[in-house]
Amino acid sequence: MKILSDSDLENFKKFIENHKAFVICGHKEPDGDCIASSLGLAKILDFYKKPYQILNAGPFKRTETKKYEKFFKNQFIRQTNNIDDTGLFIVDCSDSFRLGDMESQVAHLDTFIIDHHKTSTNSSDNSIIDPTSPAAACLVQQLFEKTVGKLDSETASILFFGLSTDTGFFKFLDDKSAEVFILASKLVEAGANPRQTYDAISSGKPFSTRKLLGATLNHTESYFDGKLIISYETMADTHALGAEGRDSDALYSLLLAVENVEAVVFVRQETDKTCTLGFRSRDEVDVSEIATVFGGGGHKNASGACTSGTIETLIPKIKQEFAKIF
């Protein structure tokens, strides 16, 4: 990953100085990194004594994210007489449509983006986008250290949570990740507890999610001599077993461990006319390129999309895209 430049820091400070109040907003259905980067950024604004509100459209479906829902609102409230005095920080995404119901409420605000996704396209001075960073929390950590200074235990713990979730508790990192471990060591030194963080991420799943995992495994098929595995969740599955939560991460982990597999796709029927798609891959397969075909994006080895269609119509299209690779 890259270390933030002096110009990145100056642009960030200038944006804060030029506004009297702020909104922090991340993508809908927030994961740990979205939550951590939002709350970490709020700590920086506390240091500058700037008023802010943290927004997210939710829902907070993941077991490990539910306890943080209380820190987020779903309604923008003006804090200044002049709307131009309010600045918007978008974290862990760069496309405003990913804000969900929050998009229309904050679309008019002057915006600064902090993101790490490969498919991010914003390149203005009002952005810090580093696709080589494994988590937006890493970018916020650097900003905190360069503005506030020494990390406190609470901030270190939340940023470690964000880093851990987006790296699969470090198992997705490669031999170019030395700087990431240096940042992680600073978080642990400041008070983050790796064992407690792992336990918070991996335990406490509702029993129904194990049953739902069995149902999705029954829907699983392999293609291209085992290089691609596709699974899906129907609306009936969700209604019967998914009301209390979902654990697609466990599904990806199980299927990526299969011999010869290079990519896994999970299709969930959200409504009669729309599906969410999850893409995961090993090593060289860049699933972000395929996700963009369906209106999504993300990382080389982990991406997603929300698109119109049904399981029956989308799986053939997904296979068609992977046929170009395999």
Side-chain angles (χ1 to χ4, degrees), residues 57-85:
F60 291 72
K61 294 181 179 179
R62 299 169 182 259
T63 304
E64 68 271 20
T65 66
K66 288 180 180 178
K67 69 177 183 178
Y68 296 103
E69 185 173 5
K70 62 185 178 182
F71 297 109
F72 295 80
K73 305 297 182 183
N74 59 11
Q75 185 69 43
F76 168 64
I77 300 174
R78 286 186 58 164
Q79 303 171 88
T80 61
N81 292 328
N82 185 350
I83 197 64
D84 293 335
D85 289 336

Side-chain angles (χ1 to χ4, degrees), residues 223-224 227-229 261-263 285 321-326:
Y223 306 92
F224 306 112
K227 294 179 181 178
L228 172 67
I229 293 179
V261 72
E262 296 184 29
V285 176
E321 292 302 320
F322 276 97
K324 299 173 184 179
I325 300 175
F326 300 139

Side-chain angles (χ1 to χ4, degrees), residues 4 12 21 27 30 35 79 83 90 224 229 234 248 251 261 267 304 326:
L4 295 186
F12 175 72
H27 58 78
I35 287 172
Q79 303 171 88
I83 197 64
I90 295 180
F224 306 112
I229 293 179
T234 66
S248 53
L251 178 69
V261 72
V267 184
F326 300 139

Side-chain angles (χ1 to χ4, degrees), residues 7-8 10-12 14-15 111-113 122-128:
S7 62
D8 287 330
E10 288 308 311
N11 289 337
F12 175 72
K14 184 178 179 180
F15 188 79
T111 302
F112 194 105
I113 293 171
N122 192 297
S123 60
S124 71
D125 287 341
N126 281 1
S127 66
I128 297 175

Side-chain angles (χ1 to χ4, degrees), residues 75-265:
Q75 185 69 43
F76 168 64
I77 300 174
R78 286 186 58 164
Q79 303 171 88
T80 61
N81 292 328
N82 185 350
I83 197 64
D84 293 335
D85 289 336
T86 300
L88 167 67
F89 281 108
I90 295 180
V91 297
D92 201 31
C93 69
S94 60
D95 298 311
S96 58
F97 72 86
R98 294 198 64 207
L99 303 181
D101 293 341
M102 297 298 99
E103 179 183 12
S104 60
Q105 297 188 43
V106 300
H108 54 292
L109 299 178
D110 190 22
T111 302
F112 194 105
I113 293 171
I114 301 174
D115 191 23
H116 69 122
H117 291 96
K118 181 176 182 290
T119 50
S120 295
T121 57
N122 192 297
S123 60
S124 71
D125 287 341
N126 281 1
S127 66
I128 297 175
I129 299 175
D130 178 14
T132 67
S133 177
C138 287
L139 303 176
V140 173
Q141 178 183 347
Q142 292 183 66
L143 290 170
F144 187 98
E145 291 176 342
K146 291 176 182 294
T147 54
V148 180
K150 185 178 180 180
L151 289 153
D152 60 277
S153 177
E154 184 180 24
T155 304
S157 296
I158 189 63
L159 292 175
F160 190 82
F161 169 66
L163 172 61
S164 298
T165 54
D166 253 31
T167 60
F169 214 81
F170 305 100
K171 66 184 177 183
F172 299 143
L173 298 178
D174 56 23
D175 58 355
K176 300 180 181 63
S177 304
E179 292 289 351
V180 181
F181 283 98
I182 291 173
L183 290 176
S185 70
K186 292 180 180 179
L187 296 174
V188 175
E189 183 179 18
N193 188 313
R195 181 175 59 80
Q196 290 180 359
T197 302
Y198 180 80
D199 190 56
I201 294 171
S202 61
S203 63
K205 310 294 184 184
F207 177 69
S208 61
T209 64
R210 308 302 94 175
K211 302 273 284 185
L212 181 59
L213 182 60
T216 53
L217 286 172
N218 281 334
H219 297 321
T220 301
E221 298 291 343
S222 65
Y223 306 92
F224 306 112
D225 297 322
K227 294 179 181 178
L228 172 67
I229 293 179
I230 301 178
S231 186
Y232 62 86
E233 178 184 321
T234 66
M235 291 176 67
D237 293 332
T238 305
H239 179 73
L241 301 168
E244 292 186 63
R246 299 160 174 172
D247 191 14
S248 53
D249 289 341
L251 178 69
Y252 295 130
S253 181
L254 285 171
L255 297 182
L256 284 172
V258 174
E259 183 180 15
N260 296 325
V261 72
E262 296 184 29
V264 171
V265 181

